[in-house]
Amino acid sequence: MTTPSPFWDRARHQDRQGFLHKRAAILRAVREWFWAQGFVEAEPAMLTVSPGAETHIDAFEADGRYLHTSPEFAMKKLLAAGEKNIFFLGKTWRRGETGPLHAPEFTMIEWYRASAPYEAIMDDCVEIVRAAAKAAGASTFEWGKRSCDPFTAAERLTVHEAFDQLSPVPMPDNGDAFSAALVQHIEPQLGDGALTLLTEYPIREAALARRSPRDASVAERFELYACGVELANGFGELTDPVEQRRRLIEAMDEKQKRYGARWPIDEDFLAALAHMPPASGVALGFDRLVMLATGARHINDVLWTPE
């Protein structure tokens, strides 16, 4: 197996330079979009006492704390403090995530709208994807055998509808089976031709999202797809500290059972939830967005200093 040249090798850098310069243009366009919408850019601390609520994500430990896997807890504390519309655009870390679409250190866009329905941030996602496409001069995205026109009206599809229409198996009740069926049967078909917003996940699959007021069995959670690639994961945010504590403990119990590890509960986060206004928020993978907008084939093509 041939060892790749270091990123600073002139020939390798020349091959990636076009992607990187377009990345810079997209970064500027995204920030300008948020500024035009009246958002304030927040810069939460990267080190945290608890990196999140995810059962299957691993975090880097650092001197008794963790590098955040998402700035979500910190951003919600800022909403509790009185901020309204805020965004984060910066580095995030997840141990062990490598591959064409994954890097252990990556760039995330995460934003929140206080007192806004989660449909509003779905619209935000579509607009940001279009801003990135315009900045890169892209009229279509391509990945694998799929293509997507980001300027065509986005499709909205509930999880139940997706299983009814796209899956050869019914939606499983078991979490592992649900995730496996989603990855195998549903996700590869989403965002083909146009962006797809997959909505209304089962409540067990949304530890930080509030229940739908229309159907208590599902959560106000959505994911955005283009060409079968997941770009964003958003919620109508849960603000009940009692319910949130129960879900965090449940997630960490499962983490302990599967991986022999658990993250501490961020008590400051739970205290802040009692003061947090109704809000909606979303995290979007910036590097993946750049890949699709520039035609890059591997995440290392769009990282300035890849491993």
Side-chain angles (χ1 to χ4, degrees), residues 19-36:
F19 299 133
L20 295 173
H21 287 195
K22 286 185 177 180
R23 177 193 177 101
I26 294 169
L27 188 72
R28 177 176 178 173
V30 167
R31 277 202 165 95
E32 288 178 344
W33 185 90
F34 279 108
W35 296 335

Side-chain angles (χ1 to χ4, degrees), residues 9-71:
D9 177 85
R10 289 196 173 219
R12 184 182 178 195
H13 184 73
Q14 188 173 35
D15 288 341
R16 302 188 312 118
Q17 193 172 45
F19 299 133
L20 295 173
H21 287 195
K22 286 185 177 180
R23 177 193 177 101
I26 294 169
L27 188 72
R28 177 176 178 173
V30 167
R31 277 202 165 95
E32 288 178 344
W33 185 90
F34 279 108
W35 296 335
Q37 293 292 315
F39 279 78
V40 174
E41 184 168 4
E43 297 180 272
M46 304 298 181
L47 286 173
T48 180
V49 297
S50 180
E54 298 287 349
T55 299
H56 303 291
I57 288 176
D58 197 7
F60 289 98
E61 296 183 34
D63 195 24
R65 292 181 290 172
Y66 301 87
L67 290 170
H68 70 195
T69 61
S70 161

Side-chain angles (χ1 to χ4, degrees), residues 126-300:
V126 173
E127 290 303 313
I128 287 170
V129 169
R130 290 173 176 170
K134 289 177 183 177
S139 59
T140 59
F141 296 162
E142 294 183 359
W143 183 260
K145 297 180 180 180
R146 306 287 181 184
S147 64
C148 172
D149 180 352
F151 300 101
T152 295
E155 172 191 33
R156 294 196 183 188
L157 192 67
T158 69
V159 170
H160 279 286
E161 289 170 341
F163 271 93
D164 287 344
Q165 298 173 23
L166 304 175
S167 175
V169 299
M171 186 169 74
D173 293 329
N174 174 272
D176 288 342
F178 171 84
S179 297
L182 189 72
V183 170
Q184 181 179 357
H185 301 303
I186 305 296
E187 289 186 338
Q189 302 184 67
L190 300 179
D192 188 17
L195 298 170
T196 299
L197 292 153
L198 186 66
T199 69
E200 297 188 2
Y201 278 67
I203 194 69
R204 67 178 182 274
E205 304 295 329
L208 293 161
R210 62 185 173 230
R211 293 180 186 270
S212 168
R214 297 186 297 100
D215 181 352
S217 70
V218 300
E220 289 190 339
R221 176 188 173 188
F222 75 91
E223 292 194 343
L224 172 69
Y225 290 85
C227 306
V229 175
E230 179 201 338
L231 285 177
N233 183 23
F235 308 136
E237 303 296 346
L238 179 64
T239 56
D240 180 343
V242 175
E243 174 67 9
Q244 186 64 85
R245 181 186 295 276
R246 185 191 67 78
R247 293 194 200 175
L248 289 174
I249 292 173
E250 186 178 81
M252 290 305 102
D253 286 347
E254 185 67 16
K255 191 179 205 60
Q256 181 74 49
K257 176 182 174 182
R258 289 173 177 268
Y259 306 110
R262 66 190 305 127
W263 296 332
I265 301 297
D266 186 341
E267 296 292 345
D268 193 49
F269 164 62
L270 292 176
L273 279 188
H275 304 277
M276 180 179 153
S280 297
V282 61
L284 188 151
F286 180 74
D287 307 304
R288 289 186 180 185
L289 177 58
V290 173
M291 289 176 65
L292 292 178
T294 63
R297 298 294 89 190
H298 197 288
I299 195 169
N300 285 348

